[in-house]
Amino acid sequence: GESVGLHLPTLSVQEGDNSIINCAYSNSASDYFIWYKQESGKGPQFIIDIRSNMDKRQGQRVTVLLNKTVKHLSLQIAATQPGDSAVYFCAERASSNTGKLIFGQGTTLQVKP
Amino acid sequence: NAGVTQTPKFQVLKTGQSMTLQCAQDMNHEYMSWYRQDPGMGLRLIHYSVGAGITDQGEVPNGYNVSRSTTEDFPLRLLSAAPSQTSVYFCASSRPGHGKETQYFGPGTRLLVL
């Protein structure tokens, strides 16, 4: 069946360093992926997305990389700040008709001052 | 726009009680969904709707009912609450097929079933 997972439950980085959060997915037919950020006590918030016809997409301080060969997705955060501390989820679109998403379990990013 | 709103923010129920979690969006989004979030489990889809009058089951639908009589509202009903339904519930909406299929999430409802 479909599943989306993250490699590490917790990632701890020093403020100012770059962070890399990884995600593996199993459905090779998936064509759309999203990264969400969830701060404590809040709902998930959209960060960046990527379609399967791309292998890289950049936003402000964030970059998403997609490797369809090994079904791997990563989120890179440049110059990590204390405000980046949160749980990060990758999500995979299960069906283009319904908008249904399957979420991974999440990686907690801890930024040390 | 208020975005996606959910009420109540927090609720305590006794086993066997029923209740409705409210969700509303003012963005004219066709797609709406309900997720539950448990520690270490990520978000799991309960039910979703691709438009008014249309609903379908997600990954964990048992014990929950939904209806979609209007585009704006998508209530989630717990028929007979069980301790296993203690969780945080998130409602989300999006407009599939319009370029950005981002789901916008509400602030969540924390439910405790005793």
Side-chain angles (χ1 to χ4, degrees):
Chain A
E2 298 170 333
S3 67
V4 181
L6 290 166
H7 294 306
L8 290 174
T10 303
L11 176 66
S12 184
V13 299
Q14 204 70 37
E15 181 179 358
D17 287 351
N18 296 335
S19 303
I20 300 176
I21 301 172
N22 295 305
C23 178
Y25 63 96
S26 61
N27 185 358
S28 56
S30 294
D31 64 351
Y32 180 65
F33 304 87
I34 305 176
W35 280 100
Y36 283 91
K37 173 186 181 183
Q38 186 177 25
E39 296 174 291
S40 181
K42 297 183 179 179
Q45 182 181 17
F46 172 86
I47 302 173
I48 192 168
D49 59 357
I50 189 167
R51 298 193 182 276
S52 60
N53 59 355
M54 303 171 69
D55 53 21
K56 180 179 180 179
R57 189 153 189 237
Q58 287 185 294
Q60 188 177 8
R61 281 201 308 119
V62 295
T63 301
V64 56
L65 299 177
L66 176 63
N67 185 332
K68 295 182 288 294
T69 303
V70 295
K71 290 184 283 188
H72 183 268
L73 192 68
S74 68
L75 176 71
Q76 299 179 358
I77 304 173
T80 313
Q81 302 169 358
D84 295 327
S85 294
V87 179
Y88 290 81
F89 294 95
C90 62
E92 167 187 14
R93 183 172 66 182
S95 167
S96 60
N97 291 331
T98 65
K100 188 174 157 185
L101 291 177
I102 297 174
F103 284 80
Q105 294 185 351
T107 290
T108 299
L109 177 64
Q110 298 173 337
V111 182
K112 296 178 288 186
Chain B
N1 287 347
V4 180
T5 58
Q6 291 183 238
T7 56
K9 285 186 168 48
F10 183 73
Q11 182 72 47
V12 180
L13 291 178
K14 294 181 180 177
T15 297
Q17 285 185 313
S18 62
M19 79 159 293
T20 299
L21 279 63
Q22 301 292 344
C23 175
Q25 52 88 13
D26 60 358
M27 298 174 283
N28 201 31
H29 285 172
E30 293 139 359
Y31 178 86
M32 296 185 76
S33 56
W34 276 103
Y35 293 86
R36 60 177 287 173
Q37 185 175 35
D38 303 298
M41 299 291 289
L43 289 111
R44 292 184 291 169
L45 183 64
I46 304 172
H47 285 284
Y48 66 98
S49 169
V50 298
I54 306 169
T55 64
D56 207 343
Q57 295 182 347
E59 185 185 352
V60 287
N62 292 341
Y64 306 95
N65 274 358
V66 291
S67 60
R68 185 89 181 273
S69 56
T70 66
T71 299
E72 294 78 19
D73 300 298
F74 191 43
L76 178 72
R77 296 184 188 84
L78 278 70
L79 307 173
S80 177
S84 61
Q85 294 179 304
T86 293
S87 188
V88 182
Y89 291 85
F90 290 100
C91 179
S93 72
S94 67
R95 275 207 316 170
H98 286 263
K100 183 167 284 293
E101 294 170 65
T102 307
Q103 292 197 16
Y104 295 86
F105 283 82
T109 293
R110 294 182 177 274
L111 178 67
L112 175 63
V113 183
L114 303 174

